[in-house]
Amino acid sequence: MIRRSRPMLLLIALLTALATVTGCAAIPDETPAQGIAAGDAGGKAAPVPDPAPGLQPADLVRAFLEANADPTSSYAAGRPYLTKAAQAKWQPASSITIIQNTYNTLPDQTKPDHAKVLLTTQIIGRLGADYAFVPASAPNALTIELDKQDGQWRISSPPPGVYMTLDRFNEVYRQTRVYFLDPQKRVLVPDLRYIVAQPASTLPGRVIDLLLAGPSDAMQGAVTSALGRDAALETGGNETGDGAVLVNLSRPGDTGSPGNVKLMIAQIVQSLAVVTNNRIRVEVEGTALSPERLDWRVGDLPAYDIGTSPGPDLTGLLVQDGRIKQLADGKPLNGPAGNGSYVVQTAAQSIDGTELATVSKPGANAELRVGGLTQSAPVVDLTATTLTRPTWVSADSATDPSNEVWTVADGSRVARVVKSADGTWVARPVNSNDLSQFGQITDLRLSRDGTRAAVIANSQLIVCAVVRTPNSDTVALRSPRLLLPDTLTSVVGVDWLLQDQLVVATSSPASPVVQVAADGDPVFNRYNAANLTAPVTAVTAAPSRPVIVVDAGGMWTSSDSGSVWRVQGGVNVGRGSSAVPFYPG
């Protein structure tokens, strides 16, 4: 059997892609089953054509960038563009750099048998060894040298690793979700990855490889797995012949606990649901992992989303003119938050709807109050001139209220306010040193599963992992990633639409509202700007809810990115309003 080590994961998976890449594969209908075997090659590769004869140096470099993106047979398509000496030294699997579709290849020097081409590009990211996208933004210039070989130009000094355009990246790779667990093992958490799209028959095996290798670098410490560190995929998986995909494991970890076994199966089945519609058969060395059933579908699993989505009866609230009102009908909330006693600037409702955190500023300092939704609440001992809109951590169970809410004091000090045993709310620091490089923080929103934080700093969007040290009160924000820095330059608001999807409001008339992935995938959706009047000043989003924004003209709602924005009914928000709508979370 083979245990695939994480550093080799990228190389092994690419070496198994033995059919010409033609684009992203659709999920196939249920087909005759096959076992997922480690290192399944999937057939022989087709012969690789030579470059067109007579290509000039700059044209050859462009043709090489197109060909070298194909990972089939250890990037065989790119090798004919290199001199024989360069072919022996080229290490394409060492790194994958993604560049803008438009780039320049400028002849820098040409002699009868030697030439130089200046390749100038804009880097937008790279694919890590963990198969996760790592956003970046940097101009890049490389001098590529070429020599004549048998009368034809060939590259003698190729770029390091593989350089590919965004279009080619989207042709060769497809996005998938690998599912892990929050630290309390209550919620399945998606971890975005990118796998070679062809051949489609090998997709399940690649997904399982990623699952067994553990979380991506960006999510280290924020999520965990029910599968043991030594879990491996058995070699030589057998075809069952009855329409199930077989996942045959060895050393899966703790199989003595029925609850942990169910979590293992949930991670496997949910991860594979992205790439196959077949039933999933999970075994340990040929024996069913669970005595409960042999084959599994997503519908057979319990709901692993406790406290991550507000109930249908919680329609949202609104801060307007210092009062908190119902978003559905504009009626003030009962109690001091709704009658004007607090003069609320901003607020947040817990995901279960029972608690409320408000920010007011009656004097020089801001005040944070946390308590029951309609009850009077004391001021938390947290001295600050400014406090960002609070954001709630989900409850530990479906029947418990949340006991933790976050805010940012004076643009730099991230605080988590925790309910103590005697019922008082106490502020504790969050280690946010990794965020100091980005400047003043004006907003922070926790994902509703509690594993990620979206941060607005210096009008840009950053996503980081929420890392809780086991058996400790220490919490830190780690692995910050600056998302779409060339596009999102005037961010004013953000909220979580899904566990790994954000809705972002900007003051830009060109892109007032956009939906972006939590990993900074450069392919994103711009919401239809029809009816919006810049600048947008506030946004709220939640699963299975319309997105709501406030702009210079009022408050608007949209069910999807292609729809025209419509006036939010039930409450009158006039032009130039500073109203702040918010869903629970």
Side-chain angles (χ1 to χ4, degrees):
M1 64 188 69
I2 298 174
R3 168 63 176 164
R4 297 176 183 172
S5 65
R6 181 169 183 157
M8 292 297 294
L9 186 58
L10 178 61
L11 177 59
I12 292 175
L14 297 180
L15 289 173
T16 63
L18 298 179
T20 302
V21 175
T22 58
C24 293
I27 298 176
D29 293 333
E30 186 163 304
T31 57
Q34 63 178 29
I36 302 171
D40 182 14
K44 294 183 178 180
V48 177
D50 287 331
L55 287 178
Q56 293 303 303
D59 296 328
L60 186 83
V61 170
R62 285 185 171 272
F64 169 73
L65 290 182
E66 180 75 10
N68 91 144
D70 184 351
T72 302
S73 298
S74 190
Y75 296 88
R79 295 185 183 277
Y81 293 81
L82 309 180
T83 63
K84 290 182 174 61
Q87 289 182 27
K89 297 178 181 179
W90 188 42
Q91 296 182 326
S94 62
S95 64
I96 296 176
T97 302
I98 304 158
I99 62 175
Q100 290 282 12
N101 293 321
T102 301
Y103 58 90
N104 294 322
T105 48
L106 304 176
D108 187 46
Q109 175 185 331
T110 303
K111 296 180 179 179
D113 295 316
H114 184 76
K116 293 182 180 180
V117 172
L118 181 63
L119 171 65
T120 58
T121 67
Q122 178 71 21
I123 294 175
I124 57 178
R126 61 181 176 84
L127 192 65
D130 56 0
Y131 262 72
F133 177 77
V134 181
S137 176
N140 190 55
L142 293 172
T143 297
I144 298 177
E145 299 190 25
L146 303 91
D147 292 322
K148 279 283 184 72
Q149 180 177 281
D150 299 327
Q152 301 292 328
W153 288 109
R154 294 294 183 262
I155 296 170
S156 57
S157 63
V162 169
Y163 273 55
M164 67 174 72
T165 63
L166 178 59
D167 281 351
R168 282 294 278 151
F169 176 73
N170 289 325
E171 291 172 3
V172 175
Y173 292 88
R174 60 171 292 173
Q175 187 187 82
T176 192
R177 289 174 170 86
V178 182
Y179 282 84
F180 296 94
L181 298 162
D182 74 310
Q184 290 76 37
K185 295 186 176 180
R186 307 164 300 131
V187 181
L188 284 171
V189 180
D191 192 358
L192 291 173
R193 308 293 186 89
Y194 298 80
I195 55 177
V196 177
Q198 297 291 344
S201 61
T202 65
L203 292 178
R206 294 177 192 173
V207 169
I208 295 299
D209 280 340
L210 293 173
L211 177 61
L212 297 182
S216 64
D217 292 342
M219 294 298 288
Q220 288 289 325
V223 293
T224 187
S225 179
L227 292 154
R229 295 176 63 88
D230 294 327
L233 192 62
E234 281 284 311
T235 58
N238 298 319
E239 293 188 4
T240 64
D242 63 354
V245 172
L246 175 64
V247 180
N248 189 24
L249 301 173
S250 64
R251 305 185 302 277
D254 177 14
T255 58
S257 165
N260 197 67
V261 166
K262 189 66 70 69
L263 289 172
M264 291 179 181
I265 292 171
Q267 286 185 250
I268 292 168
V269 173
Q270 192 72 60
S271 297
L272 288 178
V274 183
V275 296
T276 180
N277 288 326
N278 290 42
R279 292 171 286 117
I280 310 301
R281 183 167 299 166
V282 187
E283 296 182 351
V284 177
E285 298 181 352
T287 302
L289 176 58
S290 170
E292 182 176 330
R293 62 171 59 235
L294 182 63
D295 297 340
W296 297 83
R297 294 186 185 275
V298 171
D300 301 321
L301 302 171
Y304 291 104
D305 59 354
I306 295 173
T308 62
S309 184
D313 57 320
L314 301 176
T315 57
L317 300 172
L318 171 77
V319 177
Q320 185 182 33
D321 301 327
R323 303 167 184 257
I324 296 183
K325 304 176 181 180
Q326 298 287 348
L327 196 55
D329 56 17
K331 292 181 179 179
L333 200 65
N334 291 331
N339 65 22
S341 298
Y342 292 163
V343 191
V344 178
Q345 289 183 330
T346 189
Q349 184 182 20
S350 62
I351 299 175
D352 71 343
T354 63
E355 296 172 300
L356 186 70
T358 65
V359 174
S360 305
K361 193 171 184 181
N365 290 331
E367 292 181 348
L368 174 68
R369 297 174 184 267
V370 185
L373 183 66
T374 60
Q375 299 170 356
S376 178
V379 176
V380 175
D381 184 10
L382 178 60
T383 303
T385 303
T386 63
L387 294 169
T388 60
R389 183 160 78 93
T391 179
W392 286 89
V393 175
S394 61
D396 290 336
S397 72
T399 58
D400 293 331
S402 176
N403 60 7
E404 186 174 333
V405 63
W406 289 30
T407 186
V408 181
D410 295 327
S412 60
R413 293 181 289 121
V414 181
R416 47 191 287 263
V417 180
V418 181
K419 193 173 186 178
S420 61
D422 63 3
T424 59
W425 293 85
V426 180
R428 296 174 180 170
V430 173
N431 184 339
S432 58
N433 293 339
D434 290 356
L435 289 174
S436 61
Q437 60 184 303
F438 299 105
Q440 287 286 103
I441 298 172
T442 54
D443 199 3
L444 184 151
R445 310 303 306 155
L446 292 170
S447 61
R448 290 179 175 89
D449 58 29
T451 62
R452 296 177 173 97
V455 177
I456 300 175
N458 196 26
S459 300
Q460 293 190 299
L461 180 63
I462 301 104
V463 169
C464 45
V466 178
V467 177
R468 297 177 183 269
T469 303
N471 304 315
S472 169
D473 196 40
T474 302
V475 181
L477 295 175
R478 300 295 189 198
S479 305
R481 303 281 174 93
L482 184 62
L483 272 53
L484 300 174
D486 297 325
T487 302
L488 300 177
T489 57
S490 55
V491 179
V492 297
V494 64
D495 210 346
W496 291 91
L497 181 65
L498 300 170
Q499 288 174 287
D500 57 11
Q501 298 291 317
L502 294 153
V503 176
V504 184
T506 81
S507 59
S508 166
S511 302
V513 185
V514 299
Q515 179 181 333
V516 302
D519 66 346
D521 181 355
V523 179
F524 61 94
N525 291 326
R526 285 185 172 90
Y527 275 72
N528 190 333
N531 291 340
L532 295 184
T533 304
V536 173
T537 57
V539 62
T540 189
S544 304
R545 306 291 178 96
V547 174
I548 298 175
V549 301
V550 175
D551 71 352
M555 187 161 63
W556 307 84
T557 180
S558 176
S559 57
D560 59 71
S561 60
S563 298
V564 173
W565 292 90
R566 302 183 183 278
V567 174
Q568 168 68 22
V571 58
N572 182 26
V573 174
R575 290 182 172 275
S577 174
S578 59
V580 180
F582 57 96
Y583 290 125

